[in-house]
Amino acid sequence: MPPKKRSSGTAQNKELKSGAESASPDKKESPELSVKRHKDKDTEFVSLCKGLHVTDMVCDQAWKLWKTVQDNMEEVADSQERLWGACLFVSATDMDVSCFTVTQVLKAVNLNVKQFVALVRKLDVNLDTISTKVNSALSRLENKYDVTLALYQRFEKTCKKIFALVADEKERETMRSCWTMFLLAKGRALQVEDDLVISFQLLLCTLELCIKRCPPELLQPLYKSAISKVQSPPNRTSRRNQSKAKSRPAEPEVDLQLLKTLCDENECNTEEVKNVYQTSFSAFLDSLDLSKSPDFPQVSDLNQQYEEHYLKSRDFDGRLFFDGDETVLMPKVEISQVERTPKKNFPDEDAGIIPPQTPIRAAMTSIKQLRGDLTCSGDQPSTNLATYFKNCTVDPTQGVLKRLEELGLAFSQRFGQAVGPRCVVLGRQRFTLGVRLYYKIMEAMLKSEEKRLSVQNFSKLLNDSTFHTSLLACALEVVMATYGESSFKTGGYNHGGGDAADTDMCFPWILDVVNLPAFDFYKVIESFIKADPTLSKDIVKHLEICENLIMERIAWRTGSPLFELLKQEHDGGAAEQVETPANFSQPLQHNHTAADLYLSPMRPGLRVLPPESSATASSQTSSQPPTPPAGQTPRLPKSNSLSLFYKKLYRLAYLRLKMLCSYLLSSHPELEPIIWTLFQHTLQHEHELMRDRHLDQLMMSAMYAICKVKSVDLRFKTIVTAYKNMPNTNQETFKHVLISEGHYDSIIVFYNQVFMQKLKTNILQYASTRPPTLSPIPQIPRSPYKFPNSPLRVPGSNNVYISPMKSSRMSPGIMTPRSRMLVSIGESFGLSNRFQKINQMVNSSDRSFKRTLDLGSTPKPLKRLRFDVDGQDEADGSKSGGDSTLIQKLAEMSSTRSRMQEQKMKEDAESRKE
């Protein structure tokens, strides 16, 4: 049982060690560490092993790892003892031996969590030093720590608003009990302990129970009054009736008024928290036999039960956050950087101070915005959408409803399996939000198609099951990403095995739930983004990363429809190349919508569009091959979805190659186009090499091959070291490469046994006097997607920009300094002087004037001038007309501004006369 005072490092170490002895399952199976067996090792290392109660096998493995690190590390910046601790952690994790907890090893080597994770990753001196299993364990540890730190910071701030300061510090003991109970509830109720949103909702449930059961004198007035509104004599015992405490009835499960107060203060949805309380939290209270007890549990009882959970999980001790222990606290500089956000106060404005953007506030704001956007969307098709359904040759309504019922059940069950056994209700809530978004986007897409094609019968599209499943999956992915349950913490990989694979809801988890191929999902992403201008930049970026993951890896899995289309292209008489290299230099522009990509043309034997179909006109036209001249073999049309896929694939591939070359080959710029030519040739003609592999594996192999034949000294170790610094990468990419069926190894083995054997003849051509013709360089757009909420310049104007109207939920307190002057046409704007300020801003070509709308400060000079010419910036050299064009533009702007100012002065003079 842990000591009451946890601030003492010595006492804590003794307690943790004794706890480890009782909790380690290996103590019964293996004898004490034999000091005689390890005479060949450093005595201090053996002493550390003995203090952490490791087995002989872990000791041997860690010492072997230490020797490897010592021989390969160029310089050892950290102390030996700390590196030994990291080696012991790696060995114990690899061997799955429960010797010590993370906190115990942190105490032993005097490091905090962040420092220790960084140190362990430094041990990866070779490609196989740190296994994928250890890397997954580190990622889970870091994610859980980040979430727990954010939760504790919010817990501290919230408690200051709840509890009143008293002389005997009773509120401090109450807070300690509350925090320990929350940690225990999170550990027992959730299988995914790094779920920030549900964990925070559990914290509010714990606070609700704590407030109800603590003495009123400890509460601030707000919460004292909140609990008194629902307090009834039969449910709580007054001082007069204390002798009858044993016979009083149980209090209600949840105090709705108190819970609402907590949720309002923390910008959290009350209904969601109530569901968490009635499912997960109530079950947790029942397990402790606390549901009917009127008192708060004893600290000693909570500590004992949490100690058992903590030792079993081999994790860090969450109670140490409350004690300010150095092993779990980040340096103050890092915390301040996370908490602080730029603030600018405008004295003429009513807006309050912008609150700091903490992880919890960001999550709550995103959820609030999503729910606000879907307020007008129902759980059933709207009137307009129902009309589209009725206009179809075959009404899809029943098929849509049946599909939603089946997928809703599957989603809820899988959500419960991943998050916690009692979280099926929460899964149903997520699915309901997804359905509302699904209906909303479908209606927007059909309106756009009707305007584009002047047709109202979308029977083929709306009776296409794959289209509906893809659209629903995309809507659910947006909901999951908003709640923080789908991210890219593992980069689409999970080789940790065990429970980690079952509880990982990161993309592409949703594709597995709805049984949808990734190639079909990719078709809807771009149309989905264009159909909803209210999507935040973070969600658009999330969907863009989903698309990249599909292109670089997921779509290339065995069984993917992509291979069927490639076979059809190469063997069925279609165009010889999936994408002509000559088109690389053209901008990535296309008019294909989701309807085109799902219906035109079809894969053989699946959804063939009959000639009499009344679907979209574009899909009918593009799916019917032209009649060939007599005597020629008919050629099948190229697949729109495949052509667009390869266009995006080539651009993504080149962008990543260009970045890697900038890291490694800045002194050899002539090699980049040669590497790209080999890379592009592989993707086009040897696409089987991509089966069950990653795009970056071919990229790194192509770079190594060209450097080899060009006699440039570049080792794979150097390549993968630079690769790890690229965004959205994962070590599994170069550590876990398919060699043959069921056999995986490192990128080096893949190059020698697979890549080089397949492309040896082609690679050697680059060393000859007549190398292959270089492939054109793809034109890389600034961004594959325009963010819907980004302001757009009004054509023909100098400095007038428009953007979608912000909804009322965007209060001035959460606006950025650049968005604090918003005009919504059709709504009341206030006093007339506000319009005069807008006129002054529009008439001025100096953008800095927007900063002086309050007329309280002097305009600052612009750091950079930018002039729009046909939608392009002259600064980037894309459409530069020389100095004369610039001078002419300046003269025109000056003349226009002068005329507008003169006209304004005349109007003002006339108004005064009147």
Side-chain angles (χ1 to χ4, degrees):
M1 186 171 154
K4 293 182 179 179
K5 294 184 179 180
R6 308 184 59 82
S7 57
S8 173
T10 306
Q12 179 76 4
N13 272 328
K14 290 180 180 178
E15 185 61 33
L16 290 173
K17 289 176 183 178
S18 62
E21 289 179 8
S22 60
S24 175
D26 300 296
K27 292 299 292 178
K28 297 178 182 179
E29 301 173 6
S30 55
E32 284 281 336
L33 186 74
S34 174
V35 178
K36 295 181 180 179
R37 175 175 169 176
H38 305 290
K39 287 184 177 180
D40 59 322
K41 303 176 181 65
D42 192 293
T43 54
E44 291 185 5
F45 173 80
V46 176
S47 177
L48 177 64
C49 293
K50 191 172 180 63
L52 290 173
H53 305 279
V54 302
T55 63
D56 288 324
M57 293 179 63
V58 172
C59 181
D60 290 335
Q61 186 65 27
W63 185 254
K64 181 180 178 182
L65 175 59
W66 158 244
K67 285 299 182 183
T68 302
V69 170
Q70 194 177 33
D71 294 339
N72 290 276
M73 261 191 168
E74 295 180 359
E75 93 179 271
V76 180
D78 295 276
S79 67
Q80 282 191 353
E81 187 179 25
R82 290 179 172 178
L83 289 169
W84 289 340
C87 291
L88 286 168
F89 173 83
V90 171
S91 302
T93 303
D94 264 330
M95 301 172 69
D96 200 21
V97 177
S98 303
C99 300
F100 48 81
T101 68
V102 171
T103 291
Q104 288 167 359
V105 72
L106 292 178
K107 292 282 188 182
V109 299
N110 194 26
L111 287 174
N112 63 40
V113 175
K114 287 289 187 181
Q115 293 169 336
F116 184 72
V117 169
L119 179 62
V120 174
R121 286 185 171 142
K122 282 183 184 178
L123 300 183
D124 200 11
V125 290
N126 295 322
L127 294 184
D128 56 351
T129 309
I130 301 296
S131 68
T132 58
K133 184 177 182 180
V134 172
N135 192 54
S136 296
L138 284 176
S139 297
R140 289 195 300 274
L141 172 64
E142 193 169 24
N143 291 329
K144 183 179 177 182
Y145 170 77
D146 290 338
V147 167
T148 310
L149 176 63
L151 290 167
Y152 181 73
Q153 290 172 347
R154 173 56 70 95
F155 172 77
E156 265 196 329
K157 294 176 183 177
T158 305
C159 284
K160 289 178 182 178
K161 298 178 182 179
I162 295 175
F163 298 106
L165 297 177
V166 293
D168 56 359
E169 294 190 355
K170 286 184 178 179
E171 85 284 352
R172 188 71 181 167
E173 287 302 314
T174 304
M175 288 169 58
R176 180 188 295 275
S177 299
C178 186
W179 176 248
T180 306
M181 173 178 274
F182 161 68
L183 292 173
L184 186 59
K186 183 164 70 83
R188 289 191 178 181
L190 300 182
Q191 295 171 191
V192 185
E193 290 196 59
D194 58 354
D195 189 310
L196 179 64
V197 174
I198 300 181
S199 295
F200 179 57
Q201 291 169 344
L202 264 178
L203 177 60
L204 294 181
C205 294
T206 311
L207 286 169
E208 188 270 350
L209 182 75
C210 179
I211 294 170
K212 279 192 308 189
R213 299 187 178 182
C214 78
E217 61 269 15
L218 295 182
L219 299 178
Q220 297 276 16
L222 174 64
Y223 291 95
K224 189 183 297 185
S225 60
I227 195 172
S228 65
K229 291 178 183 179
V230 296
Q231 183 176 344
S232 57
N235 292 333
R236 291 184 65 90
T237 306
S238 63
R239 292 182 178 178
R240 297 177 182 178
N241 298 325
Q242 283 182 358
S243 59
K244 303 178 182 179
K246 295 182 180 181
S247 61
R248 63 189 170 187
E251 60 181 324
E253 284 190 1
V254 58
D255 184 332
L256 293 179
Q257 179 62 35
L258 176 58
L259 194 66
K260 186 178 187 304
T261 302
L262 273 170
C263 292
D264 291 345
E265 286 291 304
N266 290 278
E267 300 177 295
C268 200
N269 183 269
T270 306
E271 191 63 28
E272 290 185 356
V273 180
K274 176 185 172 184
N275 283 330
V276 171
Y277 195 111
Q278 293 177 338
T279 55
S280 302
F281 193 65
S282 291
F284 163 73
L285 294 179
D286 289 338
S287 69
L288 297 182
D289 198 23
L290 291 175
S291 297
K292 299 180 180 180
S293 172
D295 302 315
F296 205 76
Q298 295 294 322
V299 180
S300 57
D301 295 338
L302 292 174
N303 269 331
Q304 183 177 0
Q305 296 195 52
Y306 178 75
E307 183 85 6
E308 294 173 2
H309 168 77
Y310 147 68
L311 292 173
K312 184 179 179 181
S313 66
R314 294 184 294 163
D315 221 327
F316 58 84
D317 189 344
R319 294 169 297 184
L320 297 180
F321 283 98
F322 193 85
D323 298 313
D325 193 275
E326 293 182 355
T327 60
V328 294
L329 294 184
M330 294 176 64
K332 292 183 179 180
V333 176
E334 295 184 39
I335 292 179
S336 65
Q337 289 173 351
V338 171
E339 294 284 338
R340 189 173 295 130
T341 191
K343 300 178 182 178
K344 257 188 185 180
N345 295 329
F346 293 79
D348 195 38
E349 303 249 355
D350 303 337
I353 299 175
I354 301 174
Q357 189 71 350
T358 61
I360 291 179
R361 178 172 285 110
M364 295 300 107
T365 301
S366 298
I367 293 170
K368 185 177 180 180
Q369 290 180 1
L370 174 67
R371 298 181 71 92
D373 290 336
L374 299 177
T375 301
C376 300
S377 303
D379 301 338
Q380 298 295 324
S382 66
T383 304
N384 291 336
L385 190 56
T387 303
Y388 280 118
F389 288 173
K390 291 177 182 178
N391 288 337
C392 293
T393 306
V394 178
D395 192 333
T397 304
Q398 293 304 315
V400 168
L401 296 178
K402 183 179 179 181
R403 187 181 303 107
L404 288 177
E405 183 181 356
E406 294 173 352
L407 293 179
L409 182 62
F411 179 87
S412 302
Q413 294 295 332
R414 288 289 297 274
F415 187 92
Q417 292 173 14
V419 180
R422 298 184 178 273
C423 294
V424 174
V425 176
L426 304 182
R428 193 69 202 178
Q429 281 186 326
R430 305 284 194 274
F431 188 80
T432 299
L433 286 175
V435 169
R436 292 177 181 177
L437 183 59
Y438 158 76
Y439 282 141
K440 175 187 175 183
I441 299 298
M442 190 193 310
E443 182 176 341
M445 283 184 176
L446 294 177
K447 285 181 179 178
S448 177
E449 288 292 287
E450 180 182 6
K451 182 178 180 180
R452 184 172 72 100
L453 303 170
S454 300
V455 296
Q456 295 181 334
N457 187 346
F458 300 100
S459 186
K460 263 303 179 194
L461 178 66
L462 294 179
N463 283 282
D464 188 293
S465 177
T466 304
F467 165 72
H468 283 288
T469 305
S470 302
L471 186 59
L472 177 63
C474 197
L476 290 171
E477 181 63 25
V478 168
V479 173
M480 298 282 285
T482 303
Y483 278 82
E485 286 150 350
S486 176
S487 61
F488 302 103
K489 295 174 287 189
T490 62
Y493 288 89
N494 197 321
H495 298 302
D499 296 336
D502 298 330
T503 59
D504 185 5
M505 294 189 295
C506 303
F507 185 82
W509 177 83
I510 188 63
L511 302 186
D512 184 45
V513 171
V514 300
N515 194 24
L516 179 72
F519 184 77
D520 286 328
F521 180 79
Y522 121 86
K523 300 174 190 176
V524 83
I525 295 176
E526 187 169 342
S527 294
F528 190 101
I529 293 173
K530 291 178 179 178
D532 190 356
T534 66
L535 290 177
S536 67
K537 290 185 178 182
D538 289 338
I539 292 299
V540 173
K541 186 66 178 176
H542 178 90
L543 292 177
E544 184 183 348
I545 296 176
C546 289
E547 185 180 71
N548 290 347
L549 276 175
I550 290 171
M551 290 189 293
E552 68 190 19
R553 178 174 181 266
I554 305 172
W556 297 98
R557 291 174 178 171
T558 297
S560 170
L562 176 59
F563 290 104
E564 292 182 38
L565 286 175
L566 286 169
K567 187 175 186 300
Q568 176 181 319
E569 290 281 345
H570 289 275
D571 301 337
E576 294 180 359
Q577 300 177 6
V578 290
E579 179 61 23
T580 308
N583 295 332
F584 290 171
S585 58
Q586 299 176 3
L588 183 57
Q589 296 177 351
H590 64 90
N591 296 319
H592 299 307
T593 63
D596 297 325
L597 300 181
Y598 282 101
L599 298 177
S600 170
M602 293 299 91
R603 296 194 294 273
L606 291 183
R607 300 182 301 276
V608 180
L609 194 64
E612 67 274 13
S613 170
S614 56
T616 63
S618 65
S619 52
Q620 289 178 5
T621 304
S622 57
S623 61
Q624 301 203 5
T627 305
Q632 290 189 9
T633 304
R635 295 170 65 86
L636 296 176
K638 290 177 65 174
S639 164
N640 286 329
S641 57
L642 181 61
S643 178
L644 180 60
F645 180 86
Y646 255 82
K647 283 180 181 179
K648 292 187 175 185
L649 175 68
Y650 283 146
R651 283 162 174 79
L652 174 66
Y654 178 72
L655 192 63
R656 296 182 72 76
L657 175 64
K658 185 177 179 66
M659 182 180 295
L660 190 59
C661 287
S662 69
Y663 291 166
L664 298 170
L665 298 174
S666 57
S667 59
H668 298 279
E670 73 283 357
L671 293 184
E672 182 185 303
I674 303 175
I675 298 170
W676 165 243
T677 302
L678 174 60
F679 191 15
Q680 185 272 325
H681 168 86
T682 307
L683 292 173
Q684 180 178 330
H685 299 288
E686 303 293 345
H687 54 77
E688 276 295 323
L689 285 176
M690 280 293 297
R691 186 184 291 272
D692 295 323
R693 296 191 180 96
H694 196 291
L695 178 71
D696 294 346
Q697 293 164 356
L698 271 61
M699 173 185 70
M700 289 185 279
S701 297
M703 174 176 282
Y704 181 82
I706 295 301
C707 289
K708 196 78 172 174
V709 299
K710 293 295 183 180
S711 301
V712 174
D713 185 19
L714 184 65
R715 301 180 180 182
F716 256 121
K717 180 180 177 180
T718 307
I719 293 175
V720 300
T721 301
Y723 176 77
K724 286 190 289 187
N725 294 324
M726 291 174 61
N728 301 318
T729 59
N730 193 289
Q731 296 186 28
E732 320 296 329
T733 305
F734 55 83
K735 291 184 176 182
H736 196 84
V737 190
L738 178 66
I739 308 301
S740 58
E741 186 175 355
H743 176 220
Y744 292 82
D745 213 312
S746 70
I747 186 74
I748 297 176
V749 178
F750 165 73
Y751 176 83
N752 290 327
Q753 296 186 11
V754 182
F755 189 86
M756 185 62 182
Q757 302 303 320
K758 189 75 173 178
L759 294 165
K760 185 174 183 178
T761 303
N762 186 271
I763 292 172
L764 293 177
Q765 291 178 3
Y766 294 94
S768 66
T769 54
R770 301 182 63 184
T773 305
L774 297 178
S775 296
I777 301 299
Q779 178 175 332
I780 305 298
R782 291 184 180 180
S783 175
Y785 301 108
K786 290 182 178 180
F787 292 119
N789 291 324
S790 298
L792 300 177
R793 184 176 64 86
V794 176
S797 66
N798 291 331
N799 58 348
V800 180
Y801 289 77
I802 61 173
S803 62
M805 185 182 76
K806 309 292 182 182
S807 63
S808 58
R809 69 175 187 275
M810 292 293 290
S811 63
I814 61 174
M815 290 181 183
T816 63
R818 289 182 178 271
S819 65
R820 293 177 71 93
M821 188 69 174
L822 301 179
V823 183
S824 177
I825 306 301
E827 291 186 2
S828 175
F829 187 61
L831 302 176
S832 60
N833 65 337
R834 303 294 295 277
F835 288 102
Q836 292 176 6
K837 293 177 182 178
I838 295 176
N839 290 335
Q840 291 173 348
M841 180 181 71
V842 172
N843 293 339
S844 173
S845 64
D846 188 347
R847 290 188 180 186
S848 65
F849 195 78
K850 289 189 293 183
R851 299 284 184 176
T852 66
L853 290 178
D854 58 354
L855 303 180
S857 59
T858 305
K860 297 180 181 178
L862 289 174
K863 294 181 180 179
R864 177 184 177 189
L865 291 174
R866 206 171 71 174
F867 302 97
D868 291 328
V869 182
D870 297 330
Q872 299 280 349
D873 292 337
E874 288 186 342
D876 62 12
S878 56
K879 288 191 178 181
S880 176
D883 293 340
S884 60
T885 305
L886 178 61
I887 294 172
Q888 182 181 0
K889 183 70 176 177
L890 285 169
E892 290 175 357
M893 291 177 61
S894 178
S895 175
T896 301
R897 183 172 67 251
S898 298
R899 288 198 304 271
M900 294 179 70
Q901 289 175 344
E902 290 175 3
Q903 180 67 24
K904 181 68 172 58
M905 291 174 65
K906 290 179 181 179
E907 291 175 357
D908 290 343
E910 291 175 359
S911 63
R912 290 192 195 98
K913 291 178 181 179
E914 294 176 357

